[in-house]
């Protein structure tokens, strides 16, 4: 009996026989089912991704030639400002929340999130926030001071656009705070009886770290933006130097959130990759605890690195050194993850399907972003490349090569669970190939551009950079084209794709122990852990396997919430077999 | 013949090391290093490129090798042998990056010190330390109220006053609109930048230039001679000190060939020092988004021989004399922005109408 069969037979009694049926209208209502909300998140954010992508391609079209010949300078500035804001606040961050919504309750064996209505409220802040933001472009006065919105520039450009930008980001920030509260409480309080924290899948650990980070840092951004709006509309001078304010204070407040934000944007996808790689390598994850605790380490360290964005703003020498060291140290937990993923793949039986290809692509591209990240931490070198295309390249390798590849890996992996149908593998691979090539074509030359002296956020540039910029623009077009096979595949497969069954990948985590798509309350009872989440290839004696069958646990579950049995983790099931009794 | 795997590992390791070392030194990714400081920064970058290349090739190599070597064979639906971890291996790959980043931190610290990163800090900590010494009793018991009011100006104020009293700068600094910060406690409002390198500490720089950034031009004033220029000319081999501030929004002074960048912030004074050594014409670029014409805000940075520099300075003095009188006679506040900016915008090819529009948006 394989581990997947053991897990399945242990959970037969709680399996919903009928897959969850939903009408299309459900997705347009204030639904409180976490799975509906998850799909709402994923689809909505993907639409915003496409809008942000169109803006990116307009920016690249402008940069195809050194002259300003496609849009005006003002529109160009608005385009890259909105592109960044949309991609960060309306795509990567909420897409992570979308996955968390779908997966957390299923992975920990809960029926829903801790606060289902709050969950819906968190989602329903996103569409108005996004529409408001994009409407400012239509109104002809969109924010154009960059997504960082540094005063005093943000105070002297158009008031309307800047005001809309502030309100929109405040809405989206509130949404992510509400989401984070929900994830934390769900993860800490609603695990199926018998599941200890060290038996949680790694995605749950990643979301634990992400949510804690969101809760600590996001309010500071809200503070900065509210003060900025006072400067903008009420004539105060918190950051406005004409009244004696200090623009650098804004930068400290802004980056206190916005640096952790990059970890908020990447940690969930570290979690996804930690789920995808073991399933498709048919091997246990290498170093479960190392990966779990490194997420927490990144979360903590992420809070004390913000001033590396300000090495050229004028902060004292010793402070620059402090932030250099903390920033460099983050390479250690991140390195642990990367090597653990490689260790997982090593000696496996790797199924090179679309999900796994995107996971491999994630690791491959993230490593480049990670290496340039360590370089940027070194103060003397950062002084040279700060605010240049080197930084643009670095952040896109991390956030596009990392997060977006992670999102796609997750979609290809969990699509059968979300929809009950399989995606087309051929078109998935075409999608991957186009995206991988386009990504490198678009962003790799930017490293050289930055080092040679091309600053960012400019519509016109020195003619000597023309060739490399042309290559970048072609890469950007390829990236846009790469989305087409995915969109068609996702829609077509949802309607006509072959039925997936409950567990097409023979995975062990609990979300695969219910029907596809899962019924409204996920499971008919409490799921039990007959195996660890990553026990692939374990060949255990039958006697050990039979211990935690569902029916044997029933008395314990029936004993009520105060029963000691309920709270005790099952000693036979731990992520790491060395911890098992 | 069967070659043992340890020999393969050794061979791959040697090839990897040699490749990284070679590429780290021959990447050709950086422009000319026009100052002593730039050469130091390049050394750091080359080292990071060496380590980065090694890591890059290692990880990509393992990924590609694993994807081919360990791919599932058709018809094989079994699982791979379970390996849950390996503590010595995990310790090793935690320790190696830790050692690398500690090494890089120390190296960066050293370069940062060599290029003068710590000098401005010491400059304005001194007055505070001096004051603390004068305080009666234990410092621990002292409260804010115990601090005697000091009539001595601190370093911030000295720098600010110096800049403000420079007649050449007066016409381009809008100090009446954006007050220069004074008497800031602690780190102060003199934004620390890059100061004198350890060998030059305490010495008067060979040349001081005041830099003003405004939308969308750089203005350089030479306080010793009163010359105001839109290009930065410096003599090779002399230490140059730039005192910078901005008139409207944040700008950033960047000369890629110097590997130096410093934000120029309204209301603050920031300073950088460097010693140019290679003659040539480079570019001063504004690196911080400062508005729609941000991309056009650049000018020439010319490193010339001391003789040529003196010649240029003399020419400028003659030319500026007339302008300066005019500048004093005409108060900047009486003129419209378009009139005021016209000498600078004409050079950049910006139409006065555009400026007018911008101002009234």
């Amino acid at each position: 009996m394989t581990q997947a069969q053991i897990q399945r037979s242990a959970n037969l009694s709680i399996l919903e026989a009928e897959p969850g049926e939903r009408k299309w209208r459900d997705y347009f209502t204030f639904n409180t089912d976490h799975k509906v909300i998850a799909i709402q998140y994923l689809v909505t954010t993907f639409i915003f991704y496409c809008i942000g992508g169109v803006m990116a391609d307009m920016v690249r079209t402008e940069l195809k030639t050194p002259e300003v010949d496609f849009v005006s300078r003002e529109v160009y500035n608005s385009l890259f400002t909105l592109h960044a804001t949309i991609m960060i606040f309306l795509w990567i961050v909420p897409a992570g929340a979308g996955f968390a919504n779908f997966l957390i309750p299923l992975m920990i064996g809960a029926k829903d999130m801790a606060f289902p209505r709050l969950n819906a409220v968190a989602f329903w802040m996103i569409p108005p926030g996004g529409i408001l933001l994009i409407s400012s472009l239509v109104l002809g006065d969109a924010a154009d001071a960059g997504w960082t919105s540094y005063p005093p520039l943000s105070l002297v450009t158009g008031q309307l656009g800047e005001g809309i930008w502030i309100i929109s980001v405040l809405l989206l920030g509130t949404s992510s705070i509400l989401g984070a509260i929900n994830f934390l409480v769900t993860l800490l309080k609603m695990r199926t009886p018998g599941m200890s924290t060290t038996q949680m899948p790694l995605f749950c650990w990643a979301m634990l770290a992400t949510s804690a980070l969101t809760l600590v840092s996001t309010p500071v951004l809200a503070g900065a933006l509210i003060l900025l709006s006072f400067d903008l509309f009420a004539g105060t001078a918190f950051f406005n130097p004409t009244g004696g304010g200090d623009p650098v204070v804004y930068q400290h407040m802004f980056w206190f959130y916005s640096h952790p934000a990059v970890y908020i944007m990447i940690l969930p996808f570290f979690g996804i990759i930690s789920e995808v790689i073991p399933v498709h390598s048919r091997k246990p994850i290498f170093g479960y605890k190392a990966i779990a605790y490194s997420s927490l380490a990144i979360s903590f360290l992420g809070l004390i690195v913000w001033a590396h964005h300000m090495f050229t703003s004028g902060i004292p020498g010793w402070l620059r050194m402090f932030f250099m060291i903390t920033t460099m140290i983050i390479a250690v937990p991140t390195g642990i993850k990367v090597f653990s993923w490689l260790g997982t793949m090593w000696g496996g039986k790797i199924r090179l399907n679309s999900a796994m290809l995107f996971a491999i692509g994630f690791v491959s591209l993230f490593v480049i972003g990670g290496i340039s990240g360590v370089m940027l931490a070194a103060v003397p070198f950062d002084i040279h490349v700060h605010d240049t295309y080197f930084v643009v390249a670095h952040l896109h390798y991390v956030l596009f090569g990392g997060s977006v590849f992670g999102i796609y890996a997750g979609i290809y992996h969990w699509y059968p669970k979300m929809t009950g149908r399989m995606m087309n593998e051929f078109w998935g691979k075409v999608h991957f190939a186009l995206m991988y090539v386009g990504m490198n074509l678009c962003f790799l030359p930017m490293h050289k551009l930055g080092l040679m002296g091309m600053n960012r956020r400019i519509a016109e540039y020195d003619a000597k950079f023309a060739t490399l910029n042309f290559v970048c623009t072609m890469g950007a077009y390829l990236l846009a084209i790469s989305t087409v096979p995915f969109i068609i595949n996702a829609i077509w497969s949802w309607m006509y794709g072959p039925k997936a069954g409950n567990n097409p990948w023979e995975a062990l985590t609990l979300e695969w122990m219910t029907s596809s798509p899962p019924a409204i309350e996920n499971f008919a009872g409490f799921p039990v852990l007959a195996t660890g989440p990553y026990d692939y290839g374990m060949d255990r004696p039958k006697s050990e396997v039979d211990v935690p069958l569902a029916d044997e646990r029933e008395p314990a579950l029936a004993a009520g919430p105060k029963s000691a049995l309920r709270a005790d983790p099952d000693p036979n099931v731990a992520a790491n077999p060395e911890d098992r009794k | 013949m069967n070659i043992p795997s340890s020999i393969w590992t050794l061979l791959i390791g040697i090839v990897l090391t040699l490749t990284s070392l070679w590429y780290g030194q021959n990447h050709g990714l950086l422009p000319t290093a026009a100052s002593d400081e730039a050469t130091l920064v390049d050394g750091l970058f080359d080292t990071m490129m060496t380590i980065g290349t090694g890591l890059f090739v290692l990880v990509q190599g393992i990924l590609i090798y694993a994807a081919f070597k360990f791919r599932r064979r058709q018809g094989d639906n079994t699982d791979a042998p379970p390996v849950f971890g390996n503590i010595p291996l995990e310790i090793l790959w935690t320790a190696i990056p830790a050692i690398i980043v500690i090494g890089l931190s120390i190296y960066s610290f050293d370069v940062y010190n060599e290029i003068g990163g710590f000098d401005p800090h010491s400059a304005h900590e001194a007055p505070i330390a001096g004051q603390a010494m004068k305080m009666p009793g234990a410092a621990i018991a002292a409260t804010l109220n115990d601090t005697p009011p000091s009539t001595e100006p601190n370093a911030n104020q000295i720098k600010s006053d110096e800049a403000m009293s420079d007649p050449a700068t007066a016409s381009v600094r809008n100090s009446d609109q954006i007050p220069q910060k004074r008497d800031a406690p602690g780190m102060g409002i003199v934004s620390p930048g890059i100061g004198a390198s350890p060998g030059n500490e305490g010495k008067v720089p060979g040349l001081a230039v005041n830099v003003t950034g405004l939308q969308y031009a750089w203005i350089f004033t030479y306080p010793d001679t009163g010359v105001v220029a839109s290009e930065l000319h410096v003599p090779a081999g002399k230490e140059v000190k730039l005192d910078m501030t901005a008139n409207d929004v944040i700008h950033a002074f960047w000369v890629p060939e110097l590997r130096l960048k410093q934000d120029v912030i309204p209301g603050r004074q920031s300073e950088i020092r460097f010693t140019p050594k290679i003659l040539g014409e480079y570019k001063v670029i504004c690196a911080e988004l400062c508005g729609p014409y941000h991309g056009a805000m650049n000018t020439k940075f010319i490193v010339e021989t001391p003789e040529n520099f003196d010649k240029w300075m003399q020419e400028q003095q003659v030319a500026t004399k007339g302008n300066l009188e005019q500048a004093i006679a005409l108060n900047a506040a009486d003129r419209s922005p378009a009139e005021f900016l016209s000498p600078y915008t004409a050079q950049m090819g910006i139409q006065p109408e555009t400026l007018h529009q911008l101002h009234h948006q």
Side-chain angles (χ1 to χ4, degrees):
Chain A
M1 207 153 59
T2 65
Q3 296 294 307
Q5 286 163 333
I6 294 167
Q7 181 79 304
R8 185 174 165 273
S9 64
N11 282 297
L12 268 181
S13 60
I14 50 104
L15 179 66
E16 289 283 349
E18 288 298 312
E21 284 291 327
R22 281 181 196 82
K23 296 191 173 61
W24 65 269
R25 277 188 233 99
D26 292 344
Y27 294 103
F28 293 89
T29 57
F30 193 79
N31 201 306
T32 52
D33 180 357
H34 71 99
K35 298 175 292 292
V36 173
I37 295 174
I39 304 288
Q40 286 175 328
Y41 261 108
L42 289 172
V43 173
T44 310
T45 56
F46 187 80
I47 292 169
F48 283 120
Y49 170 59
C50 292
I51 296 171
V54 169
M55 290 178 182
D57 272 3
M58 288 169 81
V59 165
R60 280 309 329 169
T61 306
E62 174 58 65
L63 292 170
K64 201 165 69 175
T65 55
E67 300 81 32
V68 186
D69 47 13
F70 179 64
V71 287
S72 72
R73 291 174 172 86
E74 289 80 2
V75 172
Y76 176 85
N77 285 9
S78 293
L79 281 175
F80 71 68
T81 301
L82 291 200
H83 158 71
T85 312
I86 288 172
M87 290 308 196
I88 291 165
F89 293 105
L90 287 159
W91 163 235
I92 301 179
V93 171
F99 278 108
N101 255 303
F102 190 85
L103 294 173
I104 286 178
L106 285 166
M107 280 181 161
I108 61 171
K111 291 188 187 305
D112 205 320
M113 300 287 282
F115 310 112
R117 274 185 290 268
L118 189 72
N119 203 16
V121 170
F123 167 73
W124 282 105
M125 286 185 159
I126 290 174
I131 292 167
L132 192 66
L133 189 68
I134 293 162
S135 71
S136 67
L137 198 65
V138 183
L139 289 172
D141 184 23
D144 59 356
W147 84 279
T148 51
S149 208
Y150 278 2
L153 181 64
S154 54
L155 301 173
V156 298
T157 53
Q159 268 199 339
L160 177 66
E162 196 59 35
I164 289 178
W165 183 86
I166 290 172
I167 294 168
S168 166
V169 173
L170 281 176
L171 262 177
L172 300 169
T174 311
S175 158
S176 67
I177 292 175
L178 298 182
I181 293 171
N182 223 336
F183 300 144
L184 270 183
V185 177
T186 309
L187 282 169
L188 295 176
K189 287 287 169 195
M190 294 183 65
R191 294 192 305 277
T192 189
M195 183 192 265
S196 71
T197 47
T198 51
Q199 291 163 328
M200 288 195 306
L202 286 165
F203 178 76
C204 298
W205 274 101
M207 283 315 298
L208 201 65
T210 311
S211 306
L213 196 54
T214 308
L215 277 188
V216 176
S217 62
T218 318
V220 181
L221 175 73
L225 295 185
I226 289 168
L227 294 184
L228 185 68
S229 67
F230 286 168
D231 275 8
L232 192 63
F233 296 112
T236 55
F238 292 106
F239 310 127
N240 193 348
T242 47
D246 193 347
V248 178
V249 175
Y250 173 84
Q251 298 183 11
H252 277 291
M253 292 178 80
F254 179 82
W255 288 114
F256 188 84
Y257 165 77
S258 295
H259 192 82
V262 309
Y263 301 110
I264 294 170
M265 286 185 265
I266 195 80
L267 274 170
F269 308 109
F270 282 164
I272 285 180
I273 299 305
S274 303
E275 298 299 324
V276 172
I277 288 184
V279 174
H280 297 287
S281 299
R282 311 309 300 165
K283 264 189 73 197
I285 190 91
F286 195 100
Y288 172 90
K289 279 191 175 167
I291 295 185
Y293 297 154
S294 66
S295 291
L296 297 183
I298 291 171
S299 174
F300 171 71
L301 288 169
L303 284 169
I304 48 170
V305 302
W306 78 90
H308 69 218
H309 294 268
M310 302 164 59
F311 283 158
T312 64
S313 300
I315 55 171
W318 65 269
L319 203 58
R320 298 194 210 197
M321 291 299 111
F322 171 79
F323 281 102
M324 172 176 83
I325 291 163
T326 53
T327 306
M328 287 216 178
I329 288 174
I330 288 206
V332 177
T334 324
I336 290 173
K337 281 186 192 289
V338 171
F339 290 123
S340 294
W341 293 326
L342 296 179
T344 309
M345 285 171 63
W346 194 264
K349 292 188 175 176
I350 299 170
R351 298 189 293 221
L352 283 178
N353 49 25
S354 309
M356 189 63 184
L357 283 175
F358 273 101
I360 294 174
F362 174 100
V363 179
S364 157
L365 298 169
F366 181 77
V367 162
I368 301 174
I371 292 171
S372 58
V374 173
M375 290 180 173
L376 284 168
V379 176
F381 175 68
D382 179 79
I383 288 175
H384 174 52
V385 289
H386 177 75
D387 262 326
T388 68
Y389 265 82
F390 190 87
V391 174
V392 179
H394 159 73
L395 92 92
H396 281 94
Y397 265 91
V398 176
L399 291 184
F400 195 96
S403 305
V404 179
F405 272 64
I407 291 173
Y408 280 125
I411 290 176
Y412 281 101
H413 183 70
W414 280 291
Y415 189 89
K417 183 52 65 183
M418 290 174 179
T419 64
R421 293 178 188 268
M422 302 298 287
M423 280 183 100
N424 183 298
E425 273 301 318
F426 173 77
W427 288 110
K429 285 172 183 164
V430 170
H431 175 210
F432 170 75
L434 289 175
M435 224 176 123
Y436 192 82
V437 174
M439 154 87 209
N440 285 299
L441 211 56
C442 185
F443 300 114
L444 197 63
M446 289 186 187
H447 289 106
K448 186 169 168 68
L449 283 173
L451 289 165
M452 291 302 290
M454 182 164 160
N455 46 341
R456 65 178 189 163
R457 295 170 163 178
I458 50 169
E460 63 247 275
Y461 54 86
D462 199 317
K464 68 182 174 190
F465 302 129
T467 316
L468 285 178
N469 270 296
F470 183 79
V471 175
C472 294
T473 304
M474 292 303 122
Y477 291 161
L478 196 58
L479 279 178
I481 294 167
S482 77
T483 319
V484 177
F486 170 75
I487 295 173
I488 296 172
N489 192 356
I491 296 172
W492 190 89
S493 300
W494 201 328
M495 294 189 290
Y496 310 111
K499 296 261 187 210
N502 294 344
N503 191 0
W505 312 126
E506 297 276 288
L508 298 179
T509 37
L510 288 179
E511 78 270 24
W512 300 102
M513 298 304 129
T514 179
S515 50
S516 304
I520 286 188
E521 288 198 328
N522 301 343
F523 307 100
F526 290 103
V528 294
L529 305 172
T531 72
Y534 308 107
D535 274 1
Y536 304 102
M538 288 279 287
D539 192 18
R540 291 194 288 153
K542 197 167 184 306
S543 57
E544 202 182 315
V545 167
D546 286 345
V547 174
L549 286 179
D551 50 346
E552 289 175 37
R553 293 193 56 86
E554 283 306 322
L557 301 176
K562 287 188 178 165
S563 160
L565 282 167
R566 286 193 64 137
D568 278 349
D570 188 334
N572 288 303
V573 181
N576 190 341
E578 282 161 18
D579 299 336
R580 294 176 194 167
K581 285 177 187 164
Chain B
M1 196 179 74
N2 224 352
I3 303 171
S5 64
S6 54
I7 296 191
W8 273 121
T9 316
L10 186 69
L11 280 176
I12 292 171
I14 292 172
V15 173
L16 184 68
T17 313
L18 290 177
T19 315
S20 313
L21 279 171
W22 179 83
Y23 188 70
Q25 308 302 316
N26 297 287
H27 50 75
L29 289 169
L30 289 165
T32 321
S35 68
D36 297 331
E37 291 84 356
T39 316
L40 290 169
V41 175
D42 287 6
L44 174 65
F45 178 65
D46 292 348
T47 309
M48 293 194 295
M49 270 310 273
T50 307
I51 298 168
T53 308
L55 264 175
F56 171 80
V57 176
L58 183 76
V59 174
Q60 308 292 355
I62 293 175
L63 275 177
I64 294 169
Y65 179 79
F68 281 97
K69 168 85 177 169
F70 302 119
R71 72 181 186 282
R72 184 185 71 96
R73 311 287 154 187
Q74 202 137 29
D76 180 3
N77 287 324
T78 57
D79 289 351
V83 181
F84 279 87
N86 181 334
I87 298 292
L89 193 61
E90 288 172 51
I91 291 175
L92 183 78
W93 71 43
T94 308
I96 290 176
I99 292 167
I100 290 176
V101 297
I102 290 169
L104 281 180
S105 297
I106 294 170
Y107 187 9
S108 306
F109 182 92
D110 185 48
V111 171
Y112 186 64
N113 186 35
E114 286 295 313
I115 64 175
F118 287 103
D119 180 47
H121 174 47
S122 58
H124 48 90
E125 200 176 45
I128 292 166
Q131 197 159 302
M133 301 262 286
K134 286 184 206 157
M135 274 201 285
I140 301 162
T143 68
L144 207 59
N145 296 333
D146 298 334
T147 312
S150 167
T151 49
E152 288 173 38
N154 68 11
N156 297 327
Q157 194 166 347
I158 294 170
K159 274 180 195 283
S160 180
D161 289 349
E162 272 171 12
M164 285 304 119
S165 59
D166 175 8
T169 339
S171 61
V172 291
R173 279 176 201 263
N174 53 352
S175 56
D176 54 331
Q177 288 163 35
I178 300 181
Q180 298 293 302
K181 295 262 182 126
R182 290 158 181 240
D183 293 329
M187 290 316 119
I189 295 303
V190 176
S191 277
I194 297 294
S197 50
N200 291 332
E201 253 173 82
K203 289 186 193 161
V204 180
L207 173 71
V209 186
N210 290 336
V211 181
T212 308
L214 73 164
Q215 287 175 323
Y216 301 94
W218 292 108
I219 297 165
F220 304 97
T221 57
Y222 294 76
D224 297 337
T225 53
V227 166
V228 181
S230 61
E231 298 172 356
L232 179 57
H233 286 246
V234 293
K238 255 191 191 177
E239 198 197 20
V240 181
K241 174 176 162 241
L242 304 181
D243 273 315
M244 310 189 289
T245 194
N247 263 15
D248 34 38
V249 299
I250 302 174
H251 303 274
F253 177 93
W254 182 36
V255 178
E257 286 76 11
L258 296 175
R259 315 283 187 268
L260 277 182
K261 189 182 288 118
Q262 178 64 46
D263 282 8
V264 182
I265 301 169
R268 284 187 175 219
Q269 296 283 318
S270 45
E271 169 195 309
I272 47 174
R273 290 191 187 204
F274 54 90
T275 312
K277 61 170 186 186
I278 295 185
L279 302 182
E281 191 180 304
Y282 313 109
K283 248 185 176 181
V284 177
I285 296 170
C286 175
E288 183 67 59
L289 176 65
C290 60
Y293 289 86
H294 168 53
M297 185 172 163
N298 47 51
T299 184
K300 287 177 188 167
F301 169 66
I302 297 163
V303 183
E304 48 200 355
T305 56
E307 299 78 53
N308 283 352
F309 175 75
D310 290 339
K311 214 170 96 190
W312 175 81
M313 186 58 87
Q314 280 160 12
E315 285 167 14
Q316 293 299 307
Q317 272 175 301
V318 175
T320 313
K321 221 162 194 179
N323 285 345
L324 195 62
E325 278 158 13
Q326 213 176 4
I328 292 164
L330 284 173
N331 187 346
D334 298 338
R335 290 184 286 171
S336 76
E339 281 168 347
F340 172 61
L341 289 175
S342 56
Y344 314 110
T345 51
Q347 270 178 341
M348 297 187 298
I350 299 171
Q351 298 301 317
E353 293 79 11
T354 326
L355 263 183
H356 183 76
Q357 268 179 349
L358 275 177
H359 190 75
H360 290 278
Q361 256 177 10

